[in-house]
Each structure stands twice: as C-alpha cells, then as structure tokens.
C-alpha cells in the first residue's frame, strides 16, 4: 500500500476537487493506497469536508490536530500516521500536481527509495516570492554542508525505511527536504512544472517563510558559525597592511592614523577569532542536542555459506525442543 500525506489548512475551496484528482491518479497507478489528510486546525469547513469524504471513500484517513501547529507539525503528524510501504508528501493546493504521482510510484518500483519532485519551472503570481525562491535555493546550495536537491520542496516519495529514519529524528525545527537528503538511501529525481494555486492564497506568511529558510540554513550548515574565522583573516590582513603603511609612512600624522587603524583591526580580529572558536564548540553542542544518529543502516548482506549452518542449527534446536516437550507431555 502507498500512503499520500497532505497537510490541510483552510482549503475548503479545493478539497473536493483535489481529492478527485488524487483518486484518479492513484487508481491509474494500480496499487492499494490511502490518503492521509492532516487538518492543521482549520478555521473554515475543511475538517467537515474531509470527514464527508471519509464517509464516502474508505481510502481517506483524517488526522485532526488540536490546533494550528504549522506546516512541519502537520507533515510530521502525517508521517507518523501513514502505514504505507511508501509515503508520498504533497501540498493540497494543486501546486504539486496529482498527475505526477504515478511517475513517483514508477520510480520507486524501479528501485529508488527516495523520489524527489524537482521543479523545472514555477508559476507564482506573487512576484516577490517568485524572485526570492530562486535566490533562497542558490544561497542554501552554497551554504549547505550536505547535497540538498535545489528547487525541491516537500513533494516527494519516501520508502518505509526512509520514513522511519526521518520519524526517529528528535529535532523540533525541521526542514524536511534537508532531513530527506541527510538520511541518504537511493535517490531519484522526477521533474515537473509547478503551477500556481488553483484558488485562494498561500497559507504561509512571509515571516513563516523566513523562519523556514532559517531552519534550512541553520540545520544543515555550520558556515554561518565559521564566518568569524573568515572575518578574522580579513581583519588580520587589513591590520598587516596598515602596519606596513605605518612603517613606510613619512608623515607623523599618517603614521598615527595607520597605527590606530592597525590596532583597531588587530583587536577586532582577536574578538572575531574568539567568536569563531566559540562557534565551533557551539556547533558541536548543537550536534549533541539534535541527537542525529552517526549512521543509518540500509541493509545487511550476508553470504549464504554463513547463513546455512546457522539455519541448520536453529532447525536442530527446534526439533530438540519439540521432542523434549513431547517427552514431558507423555
């Protein structure tokens, strides 16, 4: 069975049409499926519509959260509820097109354990966001310590092993595309054209998107912490130039000015060096607090010659146990 997890927040205008599109796509994939709708504290009739769909369609699972927990909170609840051998994550506003679902499933059947939907193009009526999204992905690609696919959001398929690995992560400020890349496994990319919302406005505020971007950068990069080292090197270089200029200057006033400037840059450089060292230790504390595993085992391969004697020994032990029970019963 394949699970489709969809976070919902005030989407009463789209729910029925969206479910029809998902049903058509999953039925065309010829597989058993369920769709887990996570109502994230909607203030409109979204929950009532979802319950109505559930009464008519046994494929529908509705998760009702106690309040609005945000996008990542709803996704985490859906991942914990889904029972499928593979789980598809997507938004419920038609920006992640349901007709792409069979392509994700086909890539999974071909052996991929993570199938990421990557946008070839993006239609966005909000012009500011249309400019900021590409800029954000370029910055993230430069800063990230891990290879995170660019132009990829939550739209993806993950096998059960990958979902279990992500669910074990204990951190609270999550950036799911980063976690999905961090756990590893066999990845494959499916390209698609991202459409604009079919109706309504986006539910993530501009401030929420900024926090999401900060979660992405700070969760998967130490480069901001190590920026102090780069600034220390720059300050030391400038201090050296000013010192050399002071020694070569023939004017007393210029000598004093160069000397004061060199002292300022030198002291500032020492402060930046101290901040850099502190940042390195802080980064290690952050690693310990997140409690991410040191490694994740995909599978263990053993030679058949090693397994055969072990299986035979278990069989002999089993026969002996049954004979002993028969003797005791007699």
């Amino acid at each position: 069975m394949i699970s489709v997890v969809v976070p919902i927040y005030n989407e009463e205008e789209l729910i029925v049409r969206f479910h029809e599109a998902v049903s058509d796509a999953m039925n065309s994939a010829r597989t058993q499926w369920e769709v887990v709708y996570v109502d994230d504290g909607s203030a409109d009739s979204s929950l009532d519509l979802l319950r109505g769909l559930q009464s008519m369609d046994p494929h529908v699972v509705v998760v009702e959260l106690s309040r609005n927990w945000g996008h990542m909170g709803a996704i985490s609840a859906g991942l914990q509820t889904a029972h499928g051998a593979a789980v598809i994550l997507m938004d419920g506003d038609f920006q992640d097109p349901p007709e792409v679902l069979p392509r994700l499933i086909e890539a999974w059947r071909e052996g991929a354990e993570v199938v990421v939907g990557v946008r070839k193009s993006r239609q966005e009526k909000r012009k500011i966001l249309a400019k900021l999204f590409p800029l954000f992905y370029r910055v993230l690609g430069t800063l990230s310590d891990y290879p995170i696919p660019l132009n990829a959001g939550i739209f993806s398929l993950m096998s059960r092993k990958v979902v279990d690995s992500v669910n074990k992560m204990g951190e609270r400020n999550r950036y799911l595309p980063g976690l999905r890349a961090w756990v590893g496994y066999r990845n494959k990319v499916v390209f698609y054209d991202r459409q604009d919302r079919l109706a309504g406005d986006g539910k993530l505020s501009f401030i929420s998107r900024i926090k999401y971007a900060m979660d992405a950068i700070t969760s998967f990069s130490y480069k901001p912490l190590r920026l102090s080292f780069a600034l220390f090197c720059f300050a030391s270089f400038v201090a050296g130039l000013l010192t050399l200029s002071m020694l070569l200057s023939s004017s007393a006033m210029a000598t004093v000015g160069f000397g004061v400037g060199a002292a300022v840059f030198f002291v500032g450089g020492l402060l930046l060096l101290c901040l850099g060292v502190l940042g390195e230790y802080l980064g290690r504390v952050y690693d310990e607090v997140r409690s991410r595993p040191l490694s994740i085992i995909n599978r263990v391969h053993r030679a058949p010659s090693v397994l055969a004697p072990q299986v035979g020994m278990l069989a002999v032990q089993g026969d002996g146990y049954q004979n002993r029970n028969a003797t005791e019963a007699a």
Side-chain angles (χ1 to χ4, degrees), residues 10-89:
N10 293 344
E11 298 288 3
E12 62 182 3
E13 299 176 344
L14 299 176
I15 286 175
V16 175
R17 282 181 289 174
F18 179 79
H19 181 68
E20 291 175 352
V22 170
S23 297
D24 292 341
M26 295 305 293
N27 288 331
S28 68
R30 298 179 181 179
T31 182
Q32 292 185 338
W33 60 278
E34 67 175 3
V35 54
V36 180
Y37 291 108
V38 183
D39 180 70
D40 190 20
S42 297
D44 60 3
S45 60
S46 294
L47 180 59
D48 295 332
L49 291 172
L50 292 174
R51 295 297 303 274
L53 288 175
Q54 187 180 39
S55 65
M56 296 184 294
D57 188 348
H59 295 104
V60 175
V61 177
V62 179
V63 178
E64 180 183 356
L65 301 186
S66 61
R67 63 173 175 84
N68 177 250
W69 292 91
H71 198 233
M72 280 298 109
I75 289 174
S76 297
L79 289 177
Q80 294 169 12
T81 304
H83 292 151
V87 178
I88 297 174
L89 287 174

Side-chain angles (χ1 to χ4, degrees), residues 232-295:
F232 161 71
C233 294
F234 174 75
S236 299
F237 176 74
V238 174
L241 287 180
L242 291 174
T243 301
L244 182 62
S245 300
M246 179 189 68
L247 296 176
L248 297 178
S249 176
S250 58
S251 171
M253 186 64 69
T255 301
V256 172
F258 286 135
V260 171
V264 170
F265 274 93
F266 178 73
V267 174
L270 291 179
L271 292 176
L272 290 170
L273 176 61
C274 293
L275 286 176
V277 173
L278 182 62
E280 285 294 314
Y281 281 98
L282 184 61
R284 282 154 177 75
V285 172
Y286 187 33
D287 273 340
E288 297 298 328
V289 171
R290 286 186 302 189
S291 298
R292 289 181 184 174
L294 293 179
S295 61

Side-chain angles (χ1 to χ4, degrees), residues 65-294:
L65 301 186
S66 61
R67 63 173 175 84
N68 177 250
W69 292 91
H71 198 233
M72 280 298 109
I75 289 174
S76 297
L79 289 177
Q80 294 169 12
T81 304
H83 292 151
V87 178
I88 297 174
L89 287 174
M90 65 185 305
D91 287 323
D93 53 9
F94 281 98
Q95 287 190 299
D96 298 333
E99 59 268 21
V100 180
L101 297 181
R103 294 169 54 195
L104 301 179
I105 296 171
E106 184 62 28
W108 171 63
R109 287 171 174 166
E110 292 174 355
E113 291 172 295
V114 176
V115 186
V116 180
V118 175
R119 311 175 188 105
K120 289 192 300 183
S121 63
R122 182 183 191 121
Q123 296 183 17
E124 181 65 63
K125 63 183 179 182
R126 294 162 292 185
K127 300 303 180 183
I128 295 179
L129 291 180
K131 299 293 184 182
L132 289 180
F133 278 126
L135 177 62
F136 162 70
Y137 285 116
R138 290 194 189 98
V139 172
L140 180 61
T142 301
L143 294 180
S144 177
D145 295 327
Y146 305 98
I148 300 176
L150 302 182
N151 295 317
I154 69 164
F155 191 34
S156 60
L157 179 148
M158 297 182 288
S159 70
R160 172 49 53 183
K161 287 187 295 185
V162 179
V163 172
D164 291 341
S165 298
V166 171
N167 284 338
K168 290 177 183 177
M169 302 297 173
E171 54 201 87
R172 297 293 182 264
N173 298 310
R174 291 187 162 197
Y175 178 63
L176 184 71
L179 291 177
R180 185 180 60 206
W182 186 86
V183 297
Y185 296 103
R186 187 180 296 110
N187 278 243
K188 191 170 183 179
V189 169
V190 170
F191 293 97
Y192 72 101
D193 295 311
R194 185 172 176 86
Q195 305 298 318
D196 199 0
R197 287 181 58 89
L198 190 61
D201 295 322
K203 303 306 185 294
L204 286 178
S205 66
F206 189 73
I207 299 299
S208 298
R209 294 181 189 276
I210 292 177
K211 181 185 181 301
Y212 194 54
M214 293 301 297
D215 288 341
I217 294 173
T218 57
S219 295
F220 295 95
S221 176
Y222 288 151
K223 291 184 176 68
L225 286 175
R226 292 168 177 158
L227 179 62
S228 296
F229 282 121
L231 294 177
F232 161 71
C233 294
F234 174 75
S236 299
F237 176 74
V238 174
L241 287 180
L242 291 174
T243 301
L244 182 62
S245 300
M246 179 189 68
L247 296 176
L248 297 178
S249 176
S250 58
S251 171
M253 186 64 69
T255 301
V256 172
F258 286 135
V260 171
V264 170
F265 274 93
F266 178 73
V267 174
L270 291 179
L271 292 176
L272 290 170
L273 176 61
C274 293
L275 286 176
V277 173
L278 182 62
E280 285 294 314
Y281 281 98
L282 184 61
R284 282 154 177 75
V285 172
Y286 187 33
D287 273 340
E288 297 298 328
V289 171
R290 286 186 302 189
S291 298
R292 289 181 184 174
L294 293 179

